Amino acid sequence: MKYTTLPNTDIKVSKICLGTMTYGEQNTEAEGHEQIDFALDKGVNFLDTAEMYSIPGKAETQGSTEEIIGSWFKRSGKREEVVLASKVVGPGNAMDHIRDNLGFSKEAVTDALHKSLKRLQTDYIDLYQLHWPERNTNFFGKLGYEHDENEAWEENFQEVLETLSDFVKEGKIRQVGLSNETPYGVMRFLEESRKHDLPKMITVQNPYNLLNRKDEVGLTEVLHRENVGLFPYSPLGMGTLSGKHLDGIEPNSRLGLFSQYKRYSGDVAVKATRAYSEIAKKHNLNFAQMSLAFVNTRPFVTSNIIGATSLKQLEENIGSIDVELTKEVLEEINKVHETYPNPAP
């Protein structure tokens, strides 16, 4: 395994992060525990979860992923061996079943954090992230920003950081980060952090993969110049970039089970996926590992959030850390990207 540190900290994390959102839906508690044990044995020390998980978000399974991680902490006694990240939901997006006070008000964050700590059976979370913005902006594949002149959100950046700062001082949160955020949002949080001596948002968890490199325009400059790390999620495009859906959606996969996930299934995305798969075939590379290795080696990536529903998939995905892509392979990848730029933003 390879390691780095969370930006601006001495917290050591593996370059591969274990995503856990299938625990409680596609994976049982026993399977979740088995995955965590396996990942730690391979050198992974970083887990990512969220209060809304498992996926898809629904009342029946909300919080189940954190509960499974919590029961693993209790069984294993290895809380101190793991860097733990979780997230608090923003408003809307059919999350009303979580609580009435959605968003990042002091009341909402207090409620969310304490419930997460209880489910996780821990006294602290290493990295607490805002799952998506409160304000009207582009995320979850939405294109074309539409400005609402009546939206009064400007002062909330400082207020949110002040709320998080209180929990940092109490020791319930060590560091703070963002998710599904834009360059504007990242910079505004950083500005308020500097201006008022408040905790710095040290990471952004956004979708990033061969089919979605939109953050290379705008956000990556912010990441480099401000020393903020990217945690790519969906690095395989919900399994698409393993090639398993090229001949039709696999019925027992996430895309097969949950038809609402269509982000990576458009005609152009399929054409791009096929072109990328031909590069892997030409160079005798495992397609999934090639796709992950591309993400692993991006200079703005702190840790790559992988996920799997089987130990075989997990072993393959973790193994991508040892895959080196030649200059020729990278040039061919970029040629496909020029032909099919960001077909699944």
Side-chain angles (χ1 to χ4, degrees):
M1 183 50 60
K2 298 174 183 176
Y3 299 90
T4 186
T5 56
L6 296 182
N8 314 292
T9 79
D10 60 358
I11 301 174
K12 177 182 173 182
V13 292
S14 48
K15 289 286 288 186
I16 297 289
C17 173
L18 179 60
T20 60
M21 68 181 185
T22 60
Y23 301 178
E25 178 66 52
Q26 290 178 270
N27 288 109
T28 64
E29 179 181 51
E31 290 170 340
H33 288 190
E34 189 177 30
Q35 282 197 18
I36 298 172
D37 287 332
F38 182 87
L40 262 66
D41 186 59
K42 294 294 184 180
V44 173
N45 75 334
F46 190 18
L47 303 181
D48 179 74
T49 186
E51 67 167 336
M52 71 167 283
Y53 294 165
S54 58
I55 291 294
K58 55 187 178 182
E60 296 81 2
T61 55
Q62 185 267 318
S64 60
T65 303
E66 288 186 327
E67 289 174 350
I68 289 171
I69 294 173
S71 64
W72 180 84
F73 284 147
K74 183 178 181 180
R75 176 184 67 79
S76 69
K78 293 182 178 180
R79 172 65 184 95
E80 300 305 314
E81 296 181 25
V82 169
V83 177
L84 175 65
S86 193
K87 299 182 281 292
V88 51
V89 300
N93 290 283
M95 293 295 115
D96 290 345
H97 59 272
I98 296 180
R99 59 179 180 279
D100 295 331
N101 56 345
L102 294 179
F104 308 136
S105 67
K106 186 175 183 63
E107 178 188 13
V109 175
T110 300
D111 189 21
L113 175 60
H114 288 143
K115 286 177 178 176
S116 284
L117 290 171
K118 183 177 180 180
R119 286 189 292 264
L120 289 162
Q121 300 192 52
T122 184
D123 296 326
Y124 68 98
I125 292 171
D126 296 285
L127 179 67
Y128 200 53
Q129 305 154 101
L130 309 183
H131 207 153
W132 57 81
E134 275 189 304
R135 68 189 191 282
N136 167 54
T137 189
N138 295 45
F139 52 90
F140 295 146
K142 177 185 175 183
L143 299 178
Y145 172 69
E146 298 176 5
H147 187 61
D148 181 358
E149 294 184 357
N150 297 316
E151 184 184 35
W153 207 87
E154 185 64 19
E155 299 306 314
N156 289 34
F157 290 98
Q158 179 184 346
E159 293 173 11
V160 172
L161 287 176
E162 287 173 344
T163 295
L164 295 173
S165 179
D166 289 342
F167 290 118
V168 172
K169 291 173 182 175
E170 291 177 19
K172 295 177 180 178
I173 297 171
R174 294 181 70 189
Q175 300 292 334
V176 293
L178 300 164
S179 184
N180 298 294
E181 189 53 275
T182 68
Y184 170 79
V186 175
M187 286 305 302
R188 286 294 290 111
F189 275 113
L190 295 177
E191 180 183 20
E192 294 303 316
S193 172
R194 279 191 284 261
K195 187 186 301 182
H196 301 287
D197 192 28
L198 292 166
K200 177 182 179 180
M201 295 295 191
I202 62 168
T203 54
V204 185
Q205 183 178 150
N206 277 4
Y208 180 79
N209 52 56
L210 289 174
L211 300 175
N212 183 356
R213 294 170 59 178
K214 66 175 178 56
D215 281 345
E216 292 178 6
V217 181
L219 184 62
T220 50
E221 181 181 6
V222 173
L223 301 178
H224 282 296
R225 295 188 185 277
E226 298 289 339
N227 193 26
V228 174
L230 184 71
F231 293 149
Y233 75 78
S234 289
L236 287 179
M238 297 185 179
T240 299
L241 289 163
S242 69
K244 66 182 181 181
H245 299 307
L246 281 174
D247 296 320
I249 302 297
E250 286 196 0
N252 291 323
S253 68
R254 195 181 325 156
L255 296 186
L257 292 171
F258 312 116
S259 60
Q260 65 267 43
Y261 296 131
K262 299 178 180 179
R263 189 173 194 167
Y264 301 100
S265 304
D267 291 343
V268 179
V270 172
K271 290 178 181 178
T273 300
R274 196 173 299 279
Y276 287 124
S277 73
E278 291 300 319
I279 297 173
K281 188 183 302 182
K282 174 183 175 182
H283 294 276
N284 198 30
L285 293 167
N286 176 288
F287 183 24
Q289 290 187 333
M290 183 193 82
S291 301
L292 292 171
F294 174 80
V295 175
N296 293 342
T297 57
R298 298 302 89 193
F300 45 82
V301 168
T302 296
S303 188
N304 188 4
I305 304 176
I306 64 165
T309 53
S310 71
L311 286 184
K312 181 180 178 182
Q313 290 175 334
L314 185 58
E315 181 174 22
E316 182 178 86
N317 292 351
I318 293 174
S320 69
I321 199 67
D322 298 318
V323 175
E324 299 289 337
L325 301 183
T326 65
K327 181 180 178 181
E328 182 182 1
V329 169
L330 290 171
E331 287 175 349
E332 291 179 18
I333 284 174
N334 282 328
K335 285 180 181 177
V336 174
H337 179 58
E338 290 172 5
T339 304
Y340 304 107
N342 299 320

